[in-house]
Amino acid sequence: MLVILGGLPATGKSTIAKALSAKRAATYVRVDEIEQAVLNETGEDAGRLGYVVAQTIAASNLQLGLEVIADSVNPIEASRKGWRDAAQRSGCSSIEVEVVCSDVQIHRSRAEQRPSDVDGLVHPTWTEISERNFEPWGSAHLRLDTSILEVDGAVASIEAQIAQVLG
């Protein structure tokens, strides 16, 4: 099973993804970490390469029979499709989870106050987040609003979706 989390920065994706990964002993793949490692090593932006590497790592782990939790913004349909394709190539099911924070004040506060947990990563500003191009999700997915849902509730919702898909 591949669990694909996406959403704007500072919505709570990484917090939920880490909690879910720990609870399920699943492989955790975070695009931010890959992109920042490339930047730290080469001085160049990874661009699309960060997603390609993350999706390849996810597929490898899925082929080993491991569950994978993928954590990335997924701002466009092409990035979301890349994750679905990785699961399909591996013969695995996938679910997509859009993480949102509908309360603008809470979202802004999180964006402005969160510390970086990746060496060298500079989080986007609130202005950059609010002006970011984010394509609407067209595929079936679970939508979680972290302005009204705590981490444990989000994890429980995802686990219920996993159970439903796996039957």
Side-chain angles (χ1 to χ4, degrees), residues 7 16 21 23 26 45 112 166:
I16 294 167
S21 296
K23 184 168 185 190
D45 188 323
E112 293 175 345
L166 295 179

PDB file of all heavy atoms in Angstrom, residues 7 16 21 23 26 45 112 166:
ATOM      1  N   GLY A   7      -0.580  18.458  -0.222  1.00  0.00           N
ATOM      2  CA  GLY A   7      -1.241  19.661   0.256  1.00  0.00           C
ATOM      3  C   GLY A   7      -0.232  20.787   0.375  1.00  0.00           C
ATOM      4  O   GLY A   7       0.976  20.562   0.310  1.00  0.00           O
ATOM      5  N   ILE A  16       1.505  14.427  10.139  1.00  0.00           N
ATOM      6  CA  ILE A  16       0.614  13.276   9.964  1.00  0.00           C
ATOM      7  C   ILE A  16       1.372  12.104   9.357  1.00  0.00           C
ATOM      8  O   ILE A  16       1.244  10.955   9.825  1.00  0.00           O
ATOM      9  CB  ILE A  16      -0.597  13.662   9.088  1.00  0.00           C
ATOM     10  CG1 ILE A  16      -1.475  14.687   9.820  1.00  0.00           C
ATOM     11  CG2 ILE A  16      -1.405  12.423   8.698  1.00  0.00           C
ATOM     12  CD1 ILE A  16      -2.507  15.363   8.935  1.00  0.00           C
ATOM     13  N   SER A  21       3.503   6.754   9.689  1.00  0.00           N
ATOM     14  CA  SER A  21       4.637   5.863   9.409  1.00  0.00           C
ATOM     15  C   SER A  21       5.098   5.139  10.673  1.00  0.00           C
ATOM     16  O   SER A  21       5.352   3.935  10.645  1.00  0.00           O
ATOM     17  CB  SER A  21       5.814   6.639   8.813  1.00  0.00           C
ATOM     18  OG  SER A  21       5.474   7.177   7.565  1.00  0.00           O
ATOM     19  N   LYS A  23       3.331   4.579  13.421  1.00  0.00           N
ATOM     20  CA  LYS A  23       2.287   3.676  13.909  1.00  0.00           C
ATOM     21  C   LYS A  23       2.222   2.399  13.089  1.00  0.00           C
ATOM     22  O   LYS A  23       1.983   1.323  13.631  1.00  0.00           O
ATOM     23  CB  LYS A  23       0.928   4.383  13.884  1.00  0.00           C
ATOM     24  CG  LYS A  23      -0.180   3.528  14.471  1.00  0.00           C
ATOM     25  CD  LYS A  23      -1.420   4.307  14.714  1.00  0.00           C
ATOM     26  CE  LYS A  23      -2.428   3.385  15.426  1.00  0.00           C
ATOM     27  NZ  LYS A  23      -3.729   3.992  15.486  1.00  0.00           N
ATOM     28  N   ALA A  26       5.890   1.818   8.654  1.00  0.00           N
ATOM     29  CA  ALA A  26       5.964   1.953   7.201  1.00  0.00           C
ATOM     30  C   ALA A  26       7.182   2.787   6.805  1.00  0.00           C
ATOM     31  O   ALA A  26       7.684   3.596   7.591  1.00  0.00           O
ATOM     32  CB  ALA A  26       4.692   2.629   6.683  1.00  0.00           C
ATOM     33  N   ASP A  45      18.868  23.470  -7.436  1.00  0.00           N
ATOM     34  CA  ASP A  45      17.505  23.035  -7.138  1.00  0.00           C
ATOM     35  C   ASP A  45      17.234  21.710  -7.839  1.00  0.00           C
ATOM     36  O   ASP A  45      17.541  21.550  -9.019  1.00  0.00           O
ATOM     37  CB  ASP A  45      16.534  24.116  -7.644  1.00  0.00           C
ATOM     38  CG  ASP A  45      15.106  23.874  -7.234  1.00  0.00           C
ATOM     39  OD1 ASP A  45      14.667  22.712  -7.190  1.00  0.00           O
ATOM     40  OD2 ASP A  45      14.405  24.867  -6.982  1.00  0.00           O
ATOM     41  N   GLU A 112       4.353  30.580   9.705  1.00  0.00           N
ATOM     42  CA  GLU A 112       5.295  31.579  10.211  1.00  0.00           C
ATOM     43  C   GLU A 112       6.075  31.120  11.438  1.00  0.00           C
ATOM     44  O   GLU A 112       7.134  31.668  11.733  1.00  0.00           O
ATOM     45  CB  GLU A 112       4.538  32.869  10.521  1.00  0.00           C
ATOM     46  CG  GLU A 112       4.001  33.534   9.267  1.00  0.00           C
ATOM     47  CD  GLU A 112       3.140  34.755   9.520  1.00  0.00           C
ATOM     48  OE1 GLU A 112       2.697  34.967  10.668  1.00  0.00           O
ATOM     49  OE2 GLU A 112       2.901  35.500   8.553  1.00  0.00           O
ATOM     50  N   LEU A 166      -8.102  -2.111   1.278  1.00  0.00           N
ATOM     51  CA  LEU A 166      -7.526  -3.458   1.336  1.00  0.00           C
ATOM     52  C   LEU A 166      -8.590  -4.521   1.626  1.00  0.00           C
ATOM     53  O   LEU A 166      -8.328  -5.716   1.457  1.00  0.00           O
ATOM     54  CB  LEU A 166      -6.403  -3.520   2.370  1.00  0.00           C
ATOM     55  CG  LEU A 166      -5.178  -2.663   2.055  1.00  0.00           C
ATOM     56  CD1 LEU A 166      -4.142  -2.786   3.160  1.00  0.00           C
ATOM     57  CD2 LEU A 166      -4.588  -3.043   0.703  1.00  0.00           C
TER      58      LEU A 166
END
